[in-house]
Amino acid sequence: MRGVVLYILLLFCCLKLSAQKSSVYSEMLRLQNIHHVHFLYKSDLNLSINYNGRDIKTLTLHQALDEVFRKSGINYSIHGSNILLTQGQKTVTAKPLIERYVLKGIVRDSLGEPLVNVSIYDKISHTGTLSNEQGVYTLILIKGVHVLDVSWFGQRQKSFSINIKKDTRHDLVIKGSMELGEVVVSRDLNSPLNTTQTGKLTLRPEDINTEFSLLSSPDLVKTLQRTSGVAQGTEFSGGLLVHGGSPDENLFLLDGTPVYQTNHSLGLFSAFNSDIIKNIDFYKSGFPARYSGRISSITDVRTRDGSMTEHHGSFSLGLIDGRLQFEGPIIKGRTSYNIALRRSWIDLLLLPTFAIINHSKNGGSKFRFTYAFHDFNAKVTHLLSRNNKLWLSLYSGMDNYGIKDEDAWYDYQTTTENKFRWGNLNATLAGDFQLSNRLSNNTSFIASYSYTNQSMNEDDIYYPEPDIRFRNSLDISHNKTKMLDLGIKTDFTFFPHPKHTLRFGGAFTVHWFNPQTVMQSFYFGDPSEHVDTTDVSGRTKMSSIETQLYAEDDIVLNHWINANMGTSCTFYQVSDKTFLSFDPRLSIRWHPITPLTFKISYTHMSQSIHRIASTFLDIPSDFWAPSTAVIPPVRSHQVAAGIYTQVSPGFTFSLEGYLKCSDNLLQYRHWMGLQPPAAFWEQNETQGRGKAYGIEMEVRYRMRRLTAQMAYTLSWTNRKYPELYDGWFYDQFDNRHRLNTTIRYAMTNRISVFAALILRSGNRMSFPMASAVNPRMPEDDYNHELTYIYGKPNGLSLPLYHRLDLGFNFKHTTRKGHEAIWNVSVYNAYCHLNTIYAKVRQANDGSIAAKAKGYIPIIPSVSYTIKF
């Protein structure tokens, strides 16, 4: 009887429990056990709602989810085995306390190198960030479980979930994306759809080290010349003409320090060794407030720290140069080094070549020519702690050119010697400090030294007897140009809120200018008589002080609109004159739907130093000078707007337009020769205005083995110098149309090819309208020289410029297991002689014509690279 009673009581309890109502949360637990899924949601989501629906045990997953969340006001989405829950219609009126915490870490590759511009995107809060120059990323997230996607330049590296309960440190290690299959993600924050700025381009070393290398040396500047909105200038030129600007309007930063001599071989190569480059950020509009000092473009080049775990490097031997790179730990896990050296070796062949030629000559005449250049980069990084580090970056670049001609004729010997040397010395000592979970700082001391040395020696000696020597004349001249920058700058980054990223800081720089320190001596006379001796020397010194303060805020206004707003304020003092430049910046991004983005930006830029040049060539004999009471800073206003879309995972399209107006541009009044004089340079300059506008279109298509890009620019560039011409006229490099098409294709894992077609309208030149015969002097019946009469400057367009560049990589593995690459490149593959300049001639019938001259033929090259 007792057992029957207990059985009835137990049955009653079970019936009572079964009659109790379950909750949404309890049904979620049942779904996890039945279907082996995981629910991800914010901590403030109300899951205690009563559930009165059907029994989910006999339902499919989709049916069960619909039944559980049908009346709860909660939306769900399925991602594999993860189910994301988001709040739909509010079920509670009380606003819960939102707890936010900082998720921070460093993104490194497998060798411990910090990676820049890695995208970290949270699927729960729909927020993301990019790792900075030190590889550090920071996100402010609500308490709870979050799912983060990590991608690098459009390819997913990993996806992971993390439960945020407090401020959390989570470092990431990812592998190189070039080894992965095609996994393109839509939330890559490097994509133009997701960046706030217009006109920003981010490049990795892989984008520079393509299968094509001019004379076997990969080149940063020539890679940028293939982008939209950028013009090359003349053939082989190493300058950038961005949005109608000139080469001196571009700021090149190497680890935060400005580089002034950016080219080797008069523009044939750039001064940046791709073996040590980690990341390049290139801006042509939409400049953030933290950048200032130039009005056309900013190129921020960052070098690699070096591996903290193992020693390795590479060696490359090309047609005219060789490269060597080493990196590894000094103290494993704490201190690393990275060293890269590039040097031309053509002078090593010229020395024995001219020695053989001169040995075969008779009469004692000799001729020698030598040329060499080098780049040296070194970086040492020391980790003070997990969050703080110190690093030192050094750079040295130099070109050395020399000619010596000894001409012997009977008892006379004439020796002419010319030497030309130019280069840079740069140093950056910096520290990266994590002051708190939301505040970080970078402070750096910078030094930049740029120099040019020229010397000429012409000696005329008479030997009446073998042991007797008389000097008839001696002409010696030396010319030195120097510029030195010393400064300190500090940058703070603060994360007050998930929707705000504040950057602020300042810089203090002292500029010393020493253009054209000249010394010249001249000796002439008969050895038997008194001689004349002339000594001339001159020295020009200038200095200025530049102080910059800036602040900018990258703000998320809502789910569709982002903005980057800020200002830079610069005080520039030279002599007793002080200039104040207030440069506001604003960029807005509107992202209405996933595959479409609209942007607009306004930037005001100022430039207080000027490169004084009397020709359009970017040659080392030009010098830099500060703004003065007579020459004010150059200023520009630029408005840019664009449409960006991603039609498919591998296909992106962008269309940008820009309008740029510049004031206080400098131009020489008269032709001054190749080397402008430093003395009284202000009196030789005239000031004018510039106006440039255009449309840029870029199409990119990327698959696993194929990458194709097309960049087209339709632009107008105008100048107005009232002292030279009454009205607006076209700039010399006003190329109406520019089209650059590149294709990279990996035929196999060992063979890849590259092709680039460059097509643009010809440069412009001034063409005479008529000619007149010079007045004849009295008793001069043979003077029939013509003087051409010019009208509007740059009125004639030169022939169309076009060429095809090809490159091939052949990879193999050595017996010791090292990767080796043979590269074959062909510049101007179909040997089209593009116009460099035009000669004007008048025919007998009085008509005037111009004949185009081109000299650069097909140029093949080969190189061999081994990585160890």
Side-chain angles (χ1 to χ4, degrees):
M1 187 64 184
R2 183 181 299 178
V4 174
V5 173
L6 290 175
Y7 176 79
I8 295 173
L9 290 175
L10 182 60
L11 179 61
F12 176 79
C13 291
C14 291
L15 293 173
K16 182 68 175 176
L17 289 174
S18 64
Q20 290 182 354
K21 298 180 180 179
S22 64
S23 66
V24 170
Y25 181 73
S26 62
E27 296 300 312
M28 287 168 51
L29 296 179
R30 293 184 64 199
L31 282 173
Q32 286 186 176
N33 294 328
I34 296 171
H35 297 283
H36 306 288
V37 294
H38 303 281
F39 287 92
L40 306 174
Y41 51 88
K42 293 182 180 180
S43 59
D44 60 344
L45 197 64
N46 184 11
L47 302 177
S48 60
I49 304 171
N50 293 333
Y51 175 71
N52 298 315
R54 294 179 294 169
D55 187 2
I56 63 173
K57 187 174 181 180
T58 59
L59 302 178
T60 64
L61 177 61
H62 285 278
Q63 293 172 340
L65 291 172
D66 290 339
E67 188 70 21
V68 170
F69 299 111
R70 181 165 52 88
K71 297 181 180 180
S72 66
I74 298 174
N75 300 324
Y76 73 88
S77 59
I78 301 175
H79 300 268
S81 61
N82 296 323
I83 300 175
L84 301 182
L85 303 182
T86 55
Q87 182 67 58
Q89 183 180 359
K90 293 292 184 179
T91 58
V92 293
T93 57
K95 187 175 181 179
L97 179 65
I98 300 177
E99 299 180 62
R100 292 189 176 95
Y101 299 101
V102 177
L103 174 64
K104 179 183 286 289
I106 299 178
V107 188
R108 294 186 173 92
D109 63 14
S110 57
L111 297 176
E113 177 70 33
L115 296 178
V116 184
N117 286 322
V118 176
S119 171
I120 299 94
Y121 180 77
D122 177 31
K123 293 182 177 180
I124 303 298
S125 62
H126 302 290
T127 60
T129 187
L130 293 172
S131 59
N132 63 14
E133 293 83 359
Q134 291 77 44
V136 177
Y137 76 93
T138 303
L139 281 171
I140 299 179
L141 302 175
I142 296 175
K143 180 181 179 181
V145 178
H146 295 265
V147 178
L148 291 100
D149 262 352
V150 182
S151 62
W152 197 28
F153 289 90
Q155 292 185 320
R156 180 182 286 117
Q157 299 294 321
K158 60 168 61 177
S159 180
F160 67 97
S161 62
I162 186 169
N163 191 4
I164 301 296
K165 299 179 180 179
K166 60 180 180 178
D167 290 343
T168 305
R169 172 69 179 257
H170 187 84
D171 293 339
L172 299 172
V173 177
I174 67 176
K175 297 180 180 180
S177 61
M178 299 302 290
E179 300 299 326
L180 297 179
E182 181 188 8
V183 185
V184 180
V185 297
S186 60
R187 276 298 183 175
D188 172 32
L189 299 182
N190 285 295
S191 168
L193 276 74
N194 297 313
T195 57
T196 307
Q197 280 79 21
T198 61
K200 180 187 177 184
L201 175 65
T202 298
L203 299 175
R204 293 177 297 165
E206 291 87 348
D207 300 315
I208 304 171
N209 296 314
T210 63
E211 291 78 7
F212 172 78
S213 301
L214 175 61
L215 296 176
S216 309
S217 185
D219 194 275
L220 166 62
V221 172
K222 286 182 171 52
T223 301
L224 295 175
Q225 288 175 348
R226 292 195 292 265
T227 61
S228 61
V230 180
Q232 176 182 357
T234 57
E235 184 86 13
F236 271 175
S237 171
L240 291 180
L241 308 176
V242 182
H243 285 180
S246 59
D248 70 312
E249 295 172 3
N250 307 305
L251 177 61
F252 286 87
L253 297 172
L254 182 63
D255 286 330
T257 302
V259 178
Y260 291 96
Q261 300 281 13
T262 59
N263 297 315
H264 292 302
S265 308
L266 303 178
L268 191 60
F269 305 102
S270 70
F272 302 96
N273 189 343
S274 61
D275 290 339
I276 200 171
I277 290 177
K278 174 168 62 177
N279 186 82
I280 304 102
D281 284 330
F282 174 68
Y283 297 87
K284 56 187 176 183
S285 64
F287 305 100
R290 58 187 180 273
Y291 294 110
S292 64
R294 300 294 188 275
I295 67 170
S296 286
S297 76
I298 307 292
T299 305
D300 191 353
V301 182
R302 297 289 171 169
T303 59
R304 294 189 291 110
D305 291 349
S307 174
M308 289 280 183
T309 58
E310 62 182 43
H311 299 273
H312 61 90
S314 64
F315 171 74
S316 180
L317 184 63
L319 191 63
I320 67 171
D321 69 343
R323 307 194 311 272
L324 185 64
Q325 184 263 334
F326 286 104
E327 63 178 293
I330 299 175
I331 302 175
K332 197 166 185 178
R334 293 294 302 274
T335 308
S336 68
Y337 72 91
N338 197 351
I339 297 173
L341 174 65
R342 178 175 61 164
R343 189 191 188 281
S344 65
W345 52 269
I346 195 68
D347 56 319
L348 303 179
L349 291 180
L350 292 177
L351 286 175
T353 301
F354 281 109
I356 295 172
I357 294 174
N358 293 327
H359 181 74
S360 62
K361 286 185 176 181
N362 296 322
S365 297
K366 297 181 180 179
F367 179 81
R368 298 183 183 90
F369 168 76
T370 183
Y371 172 74
F373 71 85
H374 83 261
D375 288 315
F376 175 76
N377 295 82
K379 191 171 186 181
V380 177
T381 305
H382 177 68
L383 300 181
L384 298 173
S385 64
R386 192 179 183 186
N387 296 320
N388 305 301
K389 70 176 181 180
L390 292 175
W391 51 273
L392 173 66
S393 176
L394 301 174
Y395 169 74
S396 169
M398 186 189 71
D399 288 65
N400 193 356
Y401 160 90
I403 291 180
K404 186 174 183 180
D405 186 7
E406 298 177 355
D407 186 19
W409 184 70
Y410 290 101
D411 298 331
Y412 295 88
Q413 180 172 321
T414 301
T415 302
T416 303
E417 188 172 7
N418 288 280
K419 294 181 180 179
F420 196 6
R421 179 181 297 177
W422 67 92
N424 299 281
L425 294 171
N426 283 37
T428 306
L429 176 62
D432 301 320
F433 308 103
Q434 190 64 46
L435 304 180
S436 70
N437 285 329
R438 303 192 182 199
L439 180 64
S440 61
N441 170 256
N442 170 267
T443 299
S444 57
F445 299 88
I446 65 171
S448 177
Y449 176 65
S450 173
Y451 62 92
T452 300
N453 295 334
Q454 296 173 267
S455 64
M456 189 274 291
N457 184 340
E458 186 171 346
D459 196 2
D460 189 5
I461 300 176
Y462 170 56
Y463 292 91
E465 299 292 340
D467 297 330
I468 301 176
R469 178 176 179 269
F470 293 104
R471 172 172 281 123
N472 291 326
S473 65
L474 176 64
D475 190 358
I476 301 174
S477 65
H478 296 283
N479 193 332
K480 296 181 180 180
T481 298
K482 295 182 290 184
M483 181 179 178
L484 175 64
D485 288 354
L486 293 178
I488 180 174
K489 61 180 181 178
T490 184
D491 301 285
F492 292 89
T493 304
F494 180 53
F495 299 90
H497 189 272
K499 297 182 179 181
H500 288 269
T501 300
L502 296 176
R503 293 182 176 89
F504 57 93
F508 178 83
T509 308
V510 181
H511 306 275
W512 284 278
F513 307 88
N514 191 3
Q516 292 187 357
T517 299
V518 180
M519 188 279 289
Q520 185 171 357
S521 297
F522 183 71
Y523 169 101
F524 178 79
D526 192 307
S528 62
E529 301 175 358
H530 294 289
V531 299
D532 294 328
T533 302
T534 303
D535 289 323
V536 178
S537 63
R539 182 183 295 267
T540 304
K541 286 187 176 181
M542 297 173 281
S543 63
S544 62
I545 298 176
E546 185 175 6
T547 304
Q548 178 209 0
L549 299 173
Y550 78 90
E552 66 176 90
D553 182 10
D554 204 331
I555 180 173
V556 180
L557 299 177
N558 56 41
H559 185 65
W560 303 280
I561 300 178
N562 286 45
N564 183 285
M565 58 187 72
T567 185
S568 173
C569 186
T570 302
F571 300 88
Y572 195 85
Q573 182 177 0
V574 56
S575 299
D576 56 350
K577 181 70 174 178
T578 300
F579 297 97
L580 172 61
S581 300
F582 182 74
D583 301 327
R585 322 282 173 80
L586 175 64
S587 298
I588 299 176
R589 179 185 74 103
W590 179 40
H591 191 58
I593 56 177
T594 299
L596 185 64
T597 293
F598 298 90
K599 298 182 195 178
I600 188 170
S601 67
Y602 167 78
T603 55
H604 184 279
M605 303 290 282
S606 302
Q607 180 172 335
S608 301
I609 62 175
H610 318 274
R611 186 175 67 90
I612 309 304
S614 59
T615 72
F616 58 85
L617 301 174
D618 187 8
I619 57 178
S621 59
D622 303 334
F623 61 85
W624 292 82
S627 296
T628 65
V630 179
I631 306 295
V634 182
R635 306 187 190 279
S636 74
H637 304 261
Q638 183 171 204
V639 177
I643 303 173
Y644 314 83
T645 182
Q646 187 168 342
V647 180
S648 66
F651 184 85
T652 58
F653 171 84
S654 66
L655 182 68
E656 287 188 0
Y658 68 92
L659 171 62
K660 175 183 171 186
C661 297
S662 306
D663 296 312
N664 304 327
L665 299 177
L666 299 183
Q667 175 70 45
Y668 262 90
R669 289 187 175 91
H670 309 289
W671 175 259
M672 304 300 297
L674 285 178
Q675 185 170 15
F680 309 108
W681 66 272
E682 297 163 292
Q683 286 73 20
N684 296 320
E685 296 276 357
T686 183
Q687 299 177 41
R689 299 165 58 194
K691 181 170 59 178
Y693 53 95
I695 298 175
E696 305 168 2
M697 180 183 70
E698 288 205 12
V699 179
R700 300 189 182 211
Y701 182 70
R702 182 174 182 177
M703 297 178 63
R704 182 180 181 185
R705 293 187 177 273
L706 175 66
T707 301
Q709 177 180 349
M710 184 186 71
Y712 170 73
T713 305
L714 173 64
S715 63
W716 289 261
T717 304
N718 301 291
R719 294 285 186 264
K720 185 176 183 180
Y721 294 95
E723 293 187 30
L724 303 181
Y725 180 75
D726 187 16
W728 290 91
F729 59 90
Y730 291 125
D731 183 75
Q732 181 177 5
F733 300 109
D734 175 71
N735 310 124
R736 185 71 63 247
H737 304 276
R738 291 192 298 271
L739 176 65
N740 295 281
T741 304
T742 59
I743 296 176
R744 298 179 67 181
Y745 180 63
M747 301 174 64
T748 67
N749 292 333
R750 296 181 177 271
I751 302 176
S752 55
V753 298
F754 173 94
L757 177 64
I758 296 92
L759 179 71
R760 62 173 168 81
S761 303
N763 296 331
R764 293 183 170 270
M765 65 170 288
S766 298
F767 189 75
M769 300 172 57
S771 65
V773 179
N774 288 338
R776 296 183 179 181
M777 301 299 292
E779 301 180 358
D780 184 3
D781 296 332
Y782 301 100
N783 188 355
H784 300 283
E785 293 184 0
L786 295 176
T787 296
Y788 291 115
I789 301 172
Y790 293 89
K792 189 175 182 179
N794 302 326
L796 177 66
S797 180
L798 296 176
L800 183 73
Y801 179 99
H802 56 92
R803 78 169 194 268
L804 175 66
D805 298 333
L806 299 174
F808 306 87
N809 273 353
F810 303 94
K811 300 180 181 180
H812 68 96
T813 304
T814 66
R815 293 180 178 179
K816 294 185 178 181
H818 302 307
E819 181 184 1
I821 304 172
W822 280 102
N823 174 262
V824 178
S825 298
V826 183
Y827 179 87
N828 195 9
Y830 52 82
C831 198
H832 177 255
L833 300 182
N834 288 291
T835 301
I836 296 180
Y837 71 98
K839 295 184 68 174
V840 177
R841 290 287 185 266
Q842 185 172 24
N844 294 332
D845 60 359
S847 62
I848 302 174
K851 186 176 182 179
K853 297 289 184 180
Y855 299 100
I856 308 300
I858 181 173
I859 302 177
S861 59
V862 62
S863 66
Y864 181 74
T865 301
I866 185 170
K867 300 179 181 181
F868 51 87

